[in-house]
Structure formats: structure tokens, C-alpha cells
Amino acid sequence: LIQTSNLIKTYKMGNETVRALDGVSVRIEAGEYVAIMGPSGSGKSTLMNVLGGLDRPSSGEYLLEGENVGGLPPDRLAEFRNAKIGFVFQSFNLLPRLNALANVALPMTYGAVAPDKRLQRAKQMLELVGLGDRIHHRPTQLSGGQQQRVAIARALANQPALLLADEPTGALDERTGIEVMQLFERLNKEGLTIVIVTHDAEVAQRARRVVRMRDGHVVDDVRNAP
Amino acid sequence: LIQTSNLIKTYKMGNETVRALDGVSVRIEAGEYVAIMGPSGSGKSTLMNVLGGLDRPSSGEYLLEGENVGGLPPDRLAEFRNAKIGFVFQSFNLLPRLNALANVALPMTYGAVAPDKRLQRAKQMLELVGLGDRIHHRPTQLSGGQQQRVAIARALANQPALLLADEPTGALDERTGIEVMQLFERLNKEGLTIVIVTHDAEVAQRARRVVRMRDGHVVDDVRNAP
Ligand SMILES: Nc1ncnc2c1ncn2[C@@H]1O[C@H](COP(=O)(O)OP(=O)(O)OP(=O)(O)O)[C@@H](O)[C@H]1O
Ligand SMILES: Nc1ncnc2c1ncn2[C@@H]1O[C@H](COP(=O)(O)OP(=O)(O)OP(=O)(O)O)[C@@H](O)[C@H]1O
Ligand SMILES: [Mg+2]
Ligand SMILES: [Mg+2]
């Protein structure tokens, strides 16, 4: 499903160059469940943004379902992303003027779900993450962990083929985090490919493979014991 | 240092009333190190916002150093807060147009640190949290964990008497999280009172007392074994 080859992402800051990605080549098959770990600043979110088609590498290639993502024109890319990919951002990126229901329904505008069914599906997704009684709350009327769960519901609303989740349990207490992990496992069994960045070793254990990054490259890539 | 009595915070949402705080009475002595835990949505951030003078309760009283915080006029409150309290927000709240150095220096404008010494102190604080090589980066040029550490440096810059930290290690990998905890322990030994909201049981273990919340009230309050 995913094949990257020697991804490099650099930023120029005055005289210095920050190498956020320094040659990342990974291959992820359809249906896999991969955790990405590594120190703060090691390039995990940068890699996720490239995989999500939200950012272009400075050099290197990214193939998604054999399609060269960097080569797609902007509208084809937006369409492709919306249909195939669900993204949970590290800082949620909810729209502040829309309530939870509208935030979750938004990605369905171009997708697989018929118009009359969208709000119904959005409500279901919110119930799945325990927010059935918060659907009319706007982001500022929600706790940190509730906002995170709205972001998760939104990523799953359009029935994506690939879920990219950047620290999706970071703001959740242990029990709510476990409920989200169980949801992910169920969806993975049903065929969803999952790539999850996490700092939590217990979350990483539930994935089937752990990729470790440091200073912009992959330093380890191991199967979890089943 | 801190005494709250029957704090209540409600929000009206259409016909419903959300009871974010439902009668919270806590007492925290100067020099204590208290962790607050509880499920997502249980009222932890709401309590922290009241303790930080950022939000008024719907009813109930909050005394800080014997001063009734709810009774202070706005400019006295701002002054009091700036001098006494360092706040690490759950979502960081950095100013996007200022770089890390300027973000950390900002609270010192009215404080204990002389003008020529402020940028120097800001740089020191950033070095203390491992960001010496990121001081000119703006928030969007920083990783999630780097932004969190800027927020921590900013909270400590003005040498507060009370540190209120809302999930200060949520975006940090294990090792960086430990470094922050060691910094907090050192400052606590030097007299800083610390109240930290956390979902991480290991972080809570390093505090000397753990207060648990559920549905807007305190359900447990125990000393940690030393
Ligand atoms: N726009 C930018 N300009 C300059 N440097 C940047 C920019 N964006 C990111 N960086 C740097 O690139 C590095 C990698 O950032 P990234 O967000 O991928 O880290 P991360 O592994 O997700 O970290 P965390 O665990 O803290 O979220 C960081 O050191 C960061 O300072
Ligand atoms: N402005 C608001 N209007 C309505 N409800 C609100 C508002 N702000 C917070 N709430 C509700 O109050 C409750 C407590 O929120 P709070 O942010 O204190 O939770 P928390 O314990 O910090 O949770 P988390 O661990 O997820 O950060 C939540 O259920 C939330 O939905
Ligand atoms: Mg990140
Ligand atoms: Mg909170």
C-alpha cells in the first residue's frame, strides 16, 4: 500500500538546515498495523504529513497504492486523500466554529456516504468514541480528550483505507485510551491499514510492527510478538 | 497556599446543564507536589483554570495565599497571576507569531526579572528543557513535544510560587518526559508548589499526593508512598 524511498525533508533556518527527515524508506502492506515511535523532534509528524499527502518531501518518492503522490495535481491529490486517508492530527485541527457533529461530517462531503446519511453516520462515529452526549458542543466547549476523540471520529467517518493517527491517545485517560485501541483493532481486523505515532509503549505493543525513528531516520523496525 | 470551598462550574447548553465542577473543596499547602487524575471530561482542566485565575466558578470560593481570587478586580488579578503563577496549558497556547525565545520572555514583562536579563533567562529556560538549538523557531516550526516544552519553559520563566501544569508530558517521549519530571522535582525541592494534571500513572507516582476526580468532584485524595 505504502512505499517510500529515501524521503528527505529539510528546512532552512538562517544559516542552518534542519533535517526533519533524513532518508526514510519504508514499505507498509495493506492491512498492516504499524506503530511509529521515537524521541520528540525525531521526524514522526513530518513523516506522517508526507504519508497523508499534506506535505511534500524535499526529495525522495512516495507511492500510495502504486500512485506517485508527489506527482498528483492538487485537486487530484485532495480527492485521493479525502477518499482514501483518515488523519488524526497531533493537535486535532478541529474547526472552532463548527460543533462536533459538523466537524465529523465535514470530510464526508465528497465521499462514500450519501448526503442524508452523513449526519447520522457522524452521530454514530461520535457515539463509538463515547461522545454521544457532546455532539452539539463546539471544540472550546470540550475537554482535551473529548477534542481528541472528535478528531478520531472525523478521521474514521469517511471509511478510509488508511488511518494515519498522530498520537491519538495522548490526551486520554487509560480507560478511554484502551477503548480507542479496541476500536482500532476491530477496524484493522475488518481491513483498515493503520499507522499510529505514539509515545506510549502499551499502545505500540498493540500494533503488529514497531518502527523507531531518531534524527529523521528509521533506526529499528521489528515485528511485535503476537 | 490554596483553599477552595465547594467550587461549582456549570454551562448551559440549550435545555441541559453541564456540571463541569460539582462541588470541589481542596486544600494545598505551600511546597506540596500534587497530581490530579481522572477520566477525560471529569473537570480537571476546569479546576486548573479556576486555580490559575483564568476562569471564575459559578459558585464557591477560591483563596490563594489567603486572598479571595474571585473578589480581585481584573488588573489586580492579572498582576497577581503573572507574579505568582506559572501555567502550562493542555493545548500550549503559544503565540504563533513569536519565536520560542520571545514566547518564553513574554510573561517576564511585569515580573521579577530585569529587562536586560530577560532574553538571557528565556534562553536558559529553553536550554533547561533541551531546546537550546530551537530558540528562534516559531511554534509552527516546532514538533508537538517541542511546543510543549516551550510552554513549560514559559511557565517557569517568571520564577512563580505555584506551577499549574495541565498534562505537561502528554506530547513527550518517555525519556524527555523523565527529564521534565526531574526538573520539576528539583524546583519543588527548592520551594515551588506544583499541581500537575496527568493521565500517566508514572508521572502521578512522582508527586507526593494524588487527587482523583470523576464527574466534577473529588473522589479520592491519597498520599503517595515515599
Ligand atoms: N517548519 C519547520 N521549520 C523548521 N524546523 C521544523 C519545521 N517543522 C518541523 N521542524 C523540525 O523538524 C523536526 C521534526 O519535527 P516533527 O514534528 O516531525 O517531530 P516529531 O517526531 O513529531 O516530534 P514530537 O514527538 O515532539 O511530536 C523537529 O526538530 C522540528 O523542530
Ligand atoms: N465551555 C463549555 N461549555 C460546555 N461544556 C463544557 C465547556 N467547557 C468544558 N465543558 C465540559 O465540562 C467537562 C469538563 O471539562 P474539562 O476540560 O475540565 O475536562 P478534563 O478533566 O480536563 O478532561 P481531559 O482529560 O479530556 O482533558 C467536559 O465534559 C466538557 O465537555
Ligand atoms: Mg509530532
Ligand atoms: Mg483537560
Side-chain angles (χ1 to χ4, degrees):
Chain A
L1 188 70
I2 288 176
Q3 173 80 60
T4 77
S5 110
N6 209 32
L7 291 177
I8 293 183
K9 180 77 184 179
T10 55
Y11 297 102
K12 273 202 106 11
M13 296 284 301
N15 290 334
E16 305 193 7
T17 298
V18 175
R19 307 189 73 83
L21 293 179
D22 201 10
V24 174
S25 305
V26 285
R27 183 192 168 91
I28 297 175
E29 312 285 340
E32 281 205 61
Y33 188 165
V34 184
I36 300 180
M37 298 189 84
S40 175
S42 55
K44 306 178 297 297
S45 296
T46 307
L47 175 60
M48 294 289 269
N49 289 340
V50 172
L51 295 181
L54 298 160
D55 201 6
R56 287 174 184 275
S58 314
S59 71
E61 220 177 41
Y62 168 36
L63 300 173
L64 177 63
E65 296 188 337
E67 193 82 53
N68 185 340
V69 174
L72 290 173
D75 54 334
R76 277 275 292 131
L77 174 60
E79 201 182 316
F80 193 57
R81 213 166 58 210
N82 190 282
K84 307 266 179 203
I85 300 174
F87 205 114
V88 184
F89 294 89
Q90 189 168 5
S91 50
F92 319 152
N93 294 7
L94 300 178
L95 297 186
R97 293 194 201 142
L98 300 184
N99 65 22
L101 198 64
N103 261 289
V104 174
L106 197 62
M108 292 190 243
T109 318
Y110 305 106
V113 185
D116 54 332
K117 293 269 176 292
R118 276 170 212 159
L119 287 184
Q120 191 181 327
R121 176 156 176 90
K123 186 162 182 288
Q124 277 176 3
M125 297 314 300
L126 286 164
E127 287 167 348
L128 257 186
V129 295
L131 292 177
D133 62 351
R134 288 286 181 276
I135 66 178
H136 300 299
H137 285 233
R138 275 173 283 115
T140 49
Q141 298 169 324
L142 292 170
S143 77
Q146 291 167 344
Q147 292 174 28
Q148 187 157 54
R149 285 181 276 160
V150 175
I152 291 167
R154 180 180 65 176
L156 296 172
N158 225 3
Q159 296 170 312
L162 170 65
L163 175 68
L164 299 173
D166 197 343
E167 306 208 43
T169 63
L172 302 178
D173 58 280
E174 191 176 357
R175 176 163 164 201
T176 314
I178 288 172
E179 287 167 20
V180 166
M181 285 296 108
Q182 288 173 339
L183 172 61
F184 285 6
E185 283 164 31
R186 209 180 77 222
L187 294 171
N188 179 245
K189 284 195 173 63
E190 293 169 12
L192 178 63
T193 308
I194 300 181
V195 182
I196 174 169
V197 170
T198 185
H199 285 308
D200 188 331
E202 300 205 14
V203 167
Q205 276 302 61
R206 288 170 168 256
R208 286 197 297 283
R209 173 180 162 201
V210 181
V211 171
R212 285 189 180 276
M213 293 185 67
R214 174 176 285 283
D215 299 326
H217 26 262
V218 172
V219 295
D220 204 10
D221 188 341
V222 285
R223 303 275 151 202
N224 269 336
Chain B
L1 188 69
I2 287 176
Q3 174 79 57
T4 78
S5 111
N6 209 31
L7 291 177
I8 293 183
K9 180 76 185 179
T10 55
Y11 297 101
K12 274 202 112 358
M13 296 284 301
N15 291 334
E16 302 192 10
T17 298
V18 175
R19 308 190 72 83
L21 293 180
D22 200 9
V24 174
S25 306
V26 286
R27 181 190 170 91
I28 298 174
E29 312 284 341
E32 280 204 62
Y33 188 166
V34 184
I36 301 180
M37 297 189 85
S40 176
S42 54
K44 308 179 296 297
S45 296
T46 306
L47 176 60
M48 294 288 270
N49 289 340
V50 172
L51 295 181
L54 297 160
D55 203 6
R56 285 172 184 279
S58 314
S59 71
E61 220 179 39
Y62 168 36
L63 301 172
L64 177 64
E65 297 189 337
E67 192 82 54
N68 185 340
V69 175
L72 290 173
D75 54 335
R76 276 277 288 130
L77 174 61
E79 203 182 313
F80 193 59
R81 212 165 60 210
N82 190 283
K84 305 265 177 206
I85 300 174
F87 205 114
V88 185
F89 293 88
Q90 190 168 4
S91 51
F92 320 152
N93 294 7
L94 301 177
L95 297 187
R97 292 196 203 142
L98 301 183
N99 64 22
L101 197 65
N103 261 290
V104 174
L106 198 62
M108 292 190 245
T109 319
Y110 305 106
V113 185
D116 54 330
K117 293 266 177 289
R118 276 171 212 157
L119 287 184
Q120 192 181 326
R121 175 156 176 90
K123 187 162 181 288
Q124 278 177 5
M125 297 313 301
L126 286 165
E127 287 167 348
L128 258 186
V129 295
L131 291 177
D133 62 352
R134 288 285 182 276
I135 66 179
H136 300 299
H137 285 233
R138 276 172 283 114
T140 48
Q141 298 170 323
L142 292 170
S143 77
Q146 290 168 346
Q147 290 173 28
Q148 187 156 52
R149 284 181 276 159
V150 175
I152 291 166
R154 180 180 64 177
L156 296 172
N158 225 3
Q159 297 170 313
L162 170 65
L163 175 67
L164 298 172
D166 197 344
E167 306 207 43
T169 62
L172 301 178
D173 58 281
E174 191 177 356
R175 176 164 163 201
T176 313
I178 289 171
E179 287 168 17
V180 165
M181 285 296 107
Q182 289 173 339
L183 172 61
F184 285 5
E185 282 163 29
R186 209 180 77 222
L187 294 170
N188 178 245
K189 284 195 172 67
E190 292 169 10
L192 178 64
T193 308
I194 300 182
V195 181
I196 175 168
V197 171
T198 185
H199 285 308
D200 188 332
E202 300 204 15
V203 167
Q205 277 301 57
R206 286 168 169 258
R208 286 198 295 285
R209 174 179 162 201
V210 180
V211 170
R212 285 190 180 276
M213 293 185 66
R214 175 175 283 284
D215 299 326
H217 26 264
V218 172
V219 295
D220 204 11
D221 188 341
V222 287
R223 303 275 150 204
N224 269 336

